[in-house]
Amino acid sequence: MTTEEVLSELEAFGREDVREGRARFGIRAVSSFGVPLPGIKSIAKKIKKDHELSLALWRTGNHDARILSFMIADPKKFTVDDAEEWMPEMLSWDLTDGAAIYLFRKCDWVIQKVNEWIGSDEEFRRRQGFVLMAVLAVHGKKLPNSLFIDWLDDLYEGASDKRNFVKKAVNWAIRQIGKKNKTLRQHALITCERILSDGEKLNWIALDAKRELNDPKTVARIKEG
């Protein structure tokens, strides 16, 4: 498919209520058809992988096309330079999260960029790093506990960042790391206590994570590890 053909298909799926809903949740795109995620996924399923088309769709600036670009990009071809080209325009939580879930987590450079992005002063670049911690806790089956234990120290530091999209990502990452296995649950709970004992940190982040990690249903699902 050509870029124009994809944009035409996306436009056909567009809905005003989706555009309005995104705006209510803090997603304000200059160009957007308002395509529901199932519609974007259906087009991605038809295209499968087309790396050059992915890059072209990102360059259109259309919000729906950019979400689709994550799904059809080839992670083996998607470079650090490509990621850095995209990052300045990752200015909404659904773009950072979509990039993490569908593309960045599969790239061989991801750990390097997580450790770099969490040190950024930019809200969404920093969010991207913390979101990737959460996503890798779910999908990084072969990643060692030691990596996530180190990241919990970074999340402790991140718990003083009061910016909305950063603090929510920090909370998400602590919860997902804690649910990965029983060893990491204990380390996540220790991190929560560290946050609560530090007056400079946001208590909400730790209290919410503790509530989930101590929920009996959650505890029952956590595996050894």
Side-chain angles (χ1 to χ4, degrees):
M1 296 179 72
T2 66
T3 304
E4 291 71 24
E5 288 170 338
V6 173
L7 289 173
S8 180
E9 286 212 22
L10 286 168
E11 187 171 15
F13 278 107
R15 287 170 28 188
E16 180 62 30
D17 64 311
V18 173
R19 285 196 295 272
E20 292 174 352
R22 285 176 177 168
R24 286 197 299 274
F25 284 98
I27 302 168
R28 293 178 175 81
V30 174
S31 173
S32 173
F33 298 128
V35 183
L37 192 58
I40 297 175
K41 286 183 175 180
S42 70
I43 298 174
K45 186 176 181 179
K46 180 162 51 176
I47 297 170
K48 297 181 180 177
K49 294 298 179 190
D50 189 328
H51 194 66
E52 294 307 315
L53 179 58
S54 168
L55 298 177
L57 288 173
W58 178 267
R59 295 188 193 106
T60 67
N62 179 272
H63 198 79
D64 308 285
R66 286 183 162 181
I67 295 172
L68 177 59
S69 72
F70 306 143
M71 300 179 185
I72 65 171
D74 184 343
K76 294 180 180 178
K77 296 180 180 178
F78 194 82
T79 67
V80 169
D81 290 340
D82 292 328
E84 287 298 345
E85 181 182 334
W86 287 14
M87 281 306 300
E89 295 180 61
M90 293 268 197
L91 299 176
S92 65
W93 61 264
D94 65 331
L95 290 182
T96 57
D97 299 8
I101 292 167
Y102 297 111
L103 178 57
F104 289 1
R105 71 174 176 86
K106 303 174 185 178
C107 297
D108 59 9
W109 43 257
V110 64
I111 304 300
Q112 166 199 340
K113 298 311 286 186
V114 167
N115 293 330
E116 178 183 324
W117 286 336
I118 59 171
S120 175
D121 291 331
E122 299 171 23
E123 181 174 11
F124 286 99
R125 191 178 293 261
R126 196 173 198 206
R127 177 184 174 86
Q128 183 74 80
F130 289 130
V131 165
L132 277 165
M133 290 181 182
V135 171
L136 288 169
V138 176
H139 296 283
K141 304 299 184 184
K142 296 182 180 180
L143 294 175
N145 281 355
S146 58
L147 175 66
F148 294 102
I149 291 168
D150 287 344
W151 280 350
L152 284 167
D153 285 336
D154 295 317
L155 289 162
Y156 166 75
E157 295 299 332
S160 59
D161 194 322
K162 296 179 174 60
R163 291 173 296 183
N164 187 48
F165 294 111
V166 176
K167 67 184 181 183
K168 288 184 176 180
V170 170
N171 168 263
W172 182 14
I174 293 172
R175 289 186 290 112
Q176 292 305 126
I177 290 173
K179 289 186 289 184
K180 189 170 180 64
N181 60 52
K182 290 184 178 180
T183 297
L184 289 174
R185 174 178 174 269
Q186 292 302 318
H187 282 276
L189 289 171
I190 290 169
T191 301
C192 290
E193 295 304 328
R194 291 179 67 200
I195 291 169
L196 291 171
S197 67
D198 187 333
E200 298 299 318
K201 308 300 182 188
L202 296 172
N203 282 359
W204 164 81
I205 290 173
L207 292 171
D208 182 73
K210 279 184 65 176
R211 182 163 47 248
E212 181 166 357
L213 294 176
N214 285 323
D215 181 271
K217 292 181 180 179
T218 301
V219 173
R221 290 194 297 267
I222 297 175
K223 299 177 181 180
E224 297 289 343

